[in-house]
Amino acid sequence: MALLPLVTLFLALLLLPFSSLSQPSTTNLSLLMAIKSSLDPQGLVLSSWSPNATDPCNASFVGLACNEQGQVVNITLQGRGLSGKIPPEIGQLKSLSGLYLHFNKLHGVVPAELANLTNLSDLYLNVNNLFGDIPRQIGDMPNLQVLQLCYNKLTGNIPTQLGSLKKLSVLALQSNQLSGAIPASLGDLMMLNRLDLSFNRLFGSIPVKLADLPLLKVLDIRNNTLSGNVPLALKRIDEGFQYANNAELCGINFPSLGICTASAQDTNGPKPFGAATSHLPAKDIPESANVQHNGGQQSRKSQSAAVVGLVCLIVAVAVAGLFSFSWYRRQKQRIGSAFDSNDARLSTDQAKEACRRSASPLISLEYSNGWDPLAKRQDVSSFSQEVLESYMYNLDEVESATQYFSEMNLLGKSSFSAIYKGMLRDGSTVAIKCISKISCKSDEADFLKGLKLLTSLKHENLLRLRGFCCSKGRGECFLVYDFVSNGNLLHYLDVSAGKALDWPTRKYIIKGIAKGIEYLHKSQSHKPTLVHSNISAEKVLIDQHYNPLLSDSGLHKLLADDIVFSTLKGSAAMGYLAPEYTTTGRFTEKSDVYAFGMIIFQILSGKSRITQLNCHGAEISRFEDFIDANLAGKFKESEAARLGEVALLCTHESPNHRPDIGAVMQELNGIPSSSC
Ligand SMILES: *[C@@H]1O[C@H](CO)[C@@H](O)[C@H](O)[C@H]1NC(C)=O
Ligand SMILES: *[C@@H]1O[C@H](CO)[C@@H](O)[C@H](O)[C@H]1NC(C)=O
Ligand SMILES: *[C@@H]1O[C@H](CO)[C@@H](O)[C@H](O)[C@H]1NC(C)=O
Ligand SMILES: *[C@@H]1O[C@H](CO)[C@@H](O)[C@H](O)[C@H]1NC(C)=O
Ligand SMILES: *[C@@H]1O[C@H](CO)[C@@H](O)[C@H](O)[C@H]1NC(C)=O
Ligand SMILES: *[C@@H]1O[C@H](CO)[C@@H](O)[C@H](O)[C@H]1NC(C)=O
Ligand SMILES: *[C@@H]1O[C@H](CO)[C@@H](O)[C@H](O)[C@H]1NC(C)=O
């Protein structure tokens, strides 16, 4: 009885995918389920890939994009923590043009069946744990433009067949365990722009044909065991040619290379593999493929026309965007300090836009020039270029640290930025703040001045800036900070007794914040006086030793004025904004002191909400009523009273009556640190 409806349901479900064949949709659901269970055996990541779905193409499957005919064209699942294998079944998704599976933990081999994807242009399998050979069949993919297999554990030779990939512009094979010689056939890749073979076990010489490729911009062969004469033609790509740590390379006009001896010179002949490799076992030497390239000229032309078109479009959009924003900004500045709710809404959209763009898998195409050309400007002569450069990160590094800005690593978003957790190659953990360029100061010299200031700030109570990276191409800047493990001060307010801070820790945090502010306010040889202007409990980070670190110091020096205004709304709502700001519209040291006073109140009361009434109404003598009940009396009343007094002075209505931070510091120093 009860079985019948179930059976009907089951049948209906079975038939659903097929009934959808009457529509244009041809996506085979059971095929997608096979792909899902292989990529994500535990079903933790692709739970949205439901076997009950009527139409996988209706945007309900994460990472799946279809064309109008209902065929899967993109699978975009980078940085998702996938831990399975690449299923051979993917080869049946005939219309696939982009397969983005990089920055995962996939293991197993690269299936030869992928080569059945004749429409595939982008294959990103980099930064996984793939092993085995690179399938030679990949050479048969007529539309492949980007082949990213770097940072895996691939072994064997580079297949000579890759020389048939007529449209290939990026071939990234670095950091694998590839051996054998560099196939001379790679010299037939007329569209090749970037070739990275570094950190492998390749030997033999550099094929001369490779050096003559017309579009080649980057050739990286570092850390291999290559030998023989380096073709002089590579001089042309200048710094794009990286060859360090190949003990037996030689050549003229390359710094750090010795002059070739007679026997080595032989290798510069037409032979693909010179004398230097002749003693090696023959099986390790791939035969050179004699690939014809008919029609290569034609396709190159249309290809570069398309690239030029794309670049123009991007530039046009960026210029239009910048223009309308600076116009908008000027309008806002005229209005002055008045808060406008539009500010926040617009900048949220900007931040979303910035971070949506981060997800584009095509970005790494530009990674060879991740350095910001901004920094090479001449008109900022006061800059110590060296200091700035020591702070520069490569876009590539930022991308791999955050696993391609993966959602998993998103720590938070504010109205104008997104913050990601990341791990640098040296193993250290960082927080990376991503700011869209349109939120930044539009004058580049001002922006650079701000960056210079940020790099000059060093104090034990300020969050350390490790570096930055600006990408004009992406319209984004990234600030790389130390990662702080215990969150911000807000996490310790409004909590239950078990999680509340003890008394000595509260005093320690208050003193630490004051020290940080004192450092900012003091002018020193390497830094001018700086007003933080946005101090709040949220900006106070707590490290593993409960040391407070003030974050975002100097950040407003990078941001456009309207963005700065919009950030203030939050602090106004929380009561951190000094009353005179509304009349003068200016920040001073005394407005920082005001915000600090509010934080003392918060720490004493253990509550994030402080109203003027409950702090200024409180008589100092009855301060115990104000103190956090979670302390259960475990605090020194005299100390609490002194701190309360400091807080009252700091939050005085009139800035002239507030002490400066030096005086505050003196008073705080009079309170012993370790007593209870
Ligand atoms: C769907 O995919 C499965 C598994 O690959 C295959 O066996 C089946 O024939 C396909 N069905 C259709 C209608 O293409
Ligand atoms: C799919 O169907 C099964 C059984 O028919 C059910 O248990 C499951 O909850 C359904 N999943 C979704 C996402 O609807
Ligand atoms: C897509 O289809 C699923 C059922 O298969 C449905 O729950 C969902 O609302 C649909 N989404 C859209 C955007 O139509
Ligand atoms: C597939 O990805 C490419 C490259 O990112 C993109 O240009 C294209 O619009 C995507 N197609 C769909 C249907 O999302
Ligand atoms: C491959 O792409 C071309 C051009 O976009 C298209 O006409 C063709 O139908 C695609 N092939 C498949 C199998 O989807
Ligand atoms: C797909 O590729 C495999 C291995 O390269 C091959 O044996 C098979 O015939 C191909 N299938 C189709 C349908 O082209
Ligand atoms: C690169 O080569 C140098 C010199 O041979 C060596 O010291 C270094 O460890 C190598 N680096 C890697 C990552 O293999």
Side-chain angles (χ1 to χ4, degrees):
M1 276 280 276
L3 222 64
L4 193 61
L6 258 184
V7 168
T8 325
L9 179 67
F10 182 64
L11 280 179
L13 286 176
L14 252 185
L15 289 174
L16 271 175
F18 296 101
S19 62
S20 66
L21 279 176
S22 54
Q23 299 166 258
S25 173
T26 56
T27 299
N28 182 338
L29 193 61
S30 54
L31 176 58
L32 291 177
M33 288 309 118
I35 291 171
K36 169 187 170 174
S37 64
S38 174
L39 289 176
D40 183 26
Q42 278 122 43
L44 301 173
V45 183
L46 301 181
S47 50
S48 63
W49 291 36
S50 159
N52 308 353
T54 48
D55 179 11
C57 285
N58 82 344
S60 58
F61 279 30
V62 66
L64 201 72
C66 302
N67 60 14
E68 279 162 7
Q69 288 77 45
Q71 296 153 329
V72 180
V73 292
N74 287 334
I75 294 183
T76 310
L77 292 172
Q78 70 268 23
R80 298 264 176 184
L82 295 171
S83 60
K85 296 181 179 181
I86 300 173
E89 286 89 344
I90 287 188
Q92 295 173 34
L93 295 172
K94 289 284 181 212
S95 304
L96 206 62
S97 73
L99 180 57
Y100 306 101
L101 296 175
H102 45 306
F103 292 111
N104 281 300
K105 290 176 247 166
L106 297 168
H107 60 280
V109 301
V110 178
E113 286 78 2
L114 290 184
N116 291 341
L117 297 170
T118 50
N119 267 11
L120 197 72
S121 67
D122 292 23
L123 180 53
Y124 284 68
L125 304 178
N126 41 312
V127 203
N128 278 294
N129 297 316
L130 303 171
F131 50 77
D133 288 356
I134 299 174
R136 59 184 159 72
Q137 291 88 341
I138 285 185
D140 300 333
M141 302 175 75
N143 284 301
L144 202 61
Q145 293 173 22
V146 178
L147 178 55
Q148 291 266 1
L149 298 174
C150 50
Y151 294 97
N152 277 295
K153 300 187 173 108
L154 300 171
T155 50
N157 295 331
I158 299 172
T160 55
Q161 286 84 351
L162 295 189
S164 315
L165 294 167
K166 291 273 181 294
K167 294 188 180 170
L168 199 67
S169 73
V170 175
L171 178 56
L173 303 178
Q174 69 269 27
S175 297
N176 279 291
Q177 294 152 25
L178 299 168
S179 55
I182 303 175
S185 64
L186 296 187
D188 299 328
L189 296 169
M190 287 300 152
M191 299 302 301
L192 198 64
N193 198 290
R194 180 185 163 89
L195 175 59
D196 198 334
L197 303 174
S198 58
F199 299 93
N200 277 294
R201 297 169 187 166
L202 301 169
F203 50 72
S205 59
I206 304 170
V208 181
K209 267 204 287 186
L210 207 52
D212 296 327
L213 284 178
L215 300 181
L216 195 68
K217 297 280 183 307
V218 175
L219 173 60
D220 194 338
I221 53 169
R222 284 172 299 156
N223 277 53
N224 281 289
T225 48
L226 297 165
S227 56
N229 199 355
V230 173
L232 193 56
L234 285 172
K235 200 74 197 156
R236 168 181 56 98
I237 57 173
D238 201 33
E239 283 173 9
F241 176 47
Q242 303 263 333
Y243 53 87
N245 296 326
N246 284 284
E248 288 175 60
L249 282 180
C250 62
I252 41 171
N253 270 331
F254 291 96
S256 84
L257 288 189
I259 305 291
C260 300
T261 62
S263 70
Q265 223 120 53
D266 285 345
T267 63
N268 209 7
K271 281 178 290 178
F273 307 103
T277 63
S278 60
H279 61 284
L280 294 160
K283 73 170 176 59
D284 278 330
I285 304 175
E287 51 196 314
S288 129
N290 281 318
V291 183
Q292 316 284 321
H293 36 100
N294 34 9
Q297 285 304 87
Q298 192 54 40
S299 71
R300 183 163 89 222
K301 242 190 195 155
S302 57
Q303 182 85 15
S304 39
V307 169
V308 168
L310 184 65
V311 168
C312 290
L313 181 66
I314 289 172
V315 168
V317 168
V319 166
L322 261 176
F323 181 79
S324 55
F325 260 93
S326 42
W327 175 83
Y328 170 79
R329 195 170 292 155
R330 276 195 298 276
Q331 295 295 307
K332 276 285 156 261
Q333 275 158 7
R334 255 180 248 144
I335 301 169
S337 67
F339 296 142
D340 184 317
S341 64
N342 280 338
D343 273 346
R345 190 171 47 75
L346 267 164
S347 31
T348 309
D349 290 346
Q350 289 165 28
K352 273 202 209 122
E353 183 51 35
C355 299
R356 182 156 350 106
R357 262 183 288 125
S358 309
S360 163
L362 289 180
I363 284 154
S364 68
L365 283 177
E366 66 158 348
Y367 59 159
S368 59
N369 47 14
W371 301 96
D372 184 16
L374 264 184
K376 298 276 185 305
R377 285 167 60 114
Q378 297 303 307
D379 58 331
V380 276
S381 50
S382 63
F383 269 60
S384 159
Q385 195 67 34
E386 260 171 51
V387 169
L388 263 192
E389 272 172 11
S390 72
Y391 277 86
M392 278 191 201
Y393 278 78
N394 194 301
L395 184 59
D396 208 14
E397 240 171 319
V398 172
E399 284 176 346
S400 81
T402 57
Q403 296 183 297
Y404 245 95
F405 304 99
S406 134
E407 291 277 324
M408 289 191 308
N409 291 325
L410 187 65
L411 291 173
K413 279 185 188 180
S414 74
S415 57
F416 63 95
S417 69
I419 303 173
Y420 292 87
K421 187 173 176 176
M423 188 182 280
L424 297 178
R425 295 216 169 101
D426 69 5
S428 56
T429 314
V430 290
I432 298 181
K433 194 175 199 115
C434 126
I435 307 173
S436 105
K437 201 79 208 304
I438 49 178
S439 302
C440 295
K441 286 209 183 302
S442 51
D443 185 275
E444 285 185 2
D446 282 352
F447 180 79
L448 275 178
K449 238 188 253 168
L451 262 187
K452 163 101 189 301
L453 179 70
L454 256 63
T455 61
S456 74
L457 301 175
K458 283 188 190 70
H459 188 267
E460 57 184 354
N461 295 108
L462 296 189
L463 182 63
R464 182 165 79 107
L465 178 77
R466 296 181 57 137
F468 56 84
C469 159
C470 286
S471 166
K472 260 193 174 165
R474 292 177 49 152
E476 282 170 308
C477 280
F478 308 94
L479 299 175
V480 182
Y481 291 101
D482 281 339
F483 179 74
V484 179
S485 52
N486 281 344
N488 67 47
L489 186 55
L490 276 183
H491 292 142
Y492 302 88
L493 301 174
D494 308 318
V495 293
S496 58
K499 288 183 188 153
L501 298 168
D502 63 18
W503 183 245
T505 307
R506 292 185 201 220
K507 288 189 293 176
Y508 183 67
I509 290 175
I510 290 172
K511 273 190 196 175
I513 301 169
K515 278 193 248 171
I517 299 173
E518 187 184 33
Y519 171 81
L520 288 178
H521 287 186
K522 216 185 257 170
S523 99
Q524 276 163 20
S525 58
H526 68 281
K527 69 167 270 295
T529 291
L530 181 67
V531 175
H532 186 293
S533 82
N534 200 8
I535 294 174
S536 68
E538 202 184 345
K539 304 285 180 208
V540 175
L541 306 184
I542 306 291
D543 77 4
Q544 69 268 39
H545 308 299
Y546 288 88
N547 191 43
L549 299 165
L550 207 46
S551 69
D552 285 354
S553 307
L555 186 66
H556 63 286
K557 297 278 186 189
L558 299 183
L559 299 176
D561 291 350
D562 54 324
I563 301 295
V564 175
F565 292 141
S566 77
T567 66
L568 296 179
K569 283 202 307 178
S571 41
M574 292 299 293
Y576 297 111
L577 204 59
E580 74 273 13
Y581 180 79
T582 35
T583 48
T584 65
R586 283 189 62 237
F587 281 105
T588 61
E589 285 88 340
K590 293 294 177 71
S591 43
D592 277 354
V593 167
Y594 184 92
F596 174 61
M598 292 306 287
I599 291 184
I600 300 182
F601 279 133
Q602 289 177 310
I603 293 176
L604 293 179
S605 68
K607 297 191 180 56
S608 60
R609 285 267 158 196
I610 304 293
T611 64
Q612 293 297 317
L613 197 74
N614 67 17
C615 55
H616 281 268
E619 288 297 317
I620 302 299
S621 58
R622 297 187 47 229
F623 218 78
E624 56 273 31
D625 294 344
F626 185 80
I627 301 290
D628 191 354
N630 283 333
L631 282 167
K634 291 195 192 128
F635 66 97
K636 265 232 172 80
E637 267 177 39
S638 60
E639 292 173 2
R642 279 172 86 175
L643 287 172
E645 208 163 342
V646 171
L648 269 181
L649 283 171
C650 289
T651 53
H652 197 286
E653 189 76 11
S654 151
N656 297 332
H657 287 90
R658 287 174 217 149
D660 62 28
I661 195 72
V664 170
M665 203 63 236
Q666 262 183 357
E667 177 65 19
L668 293 179
N669 281 336
I671 301 175
S673 304
S674 51
S675 64
C676 180

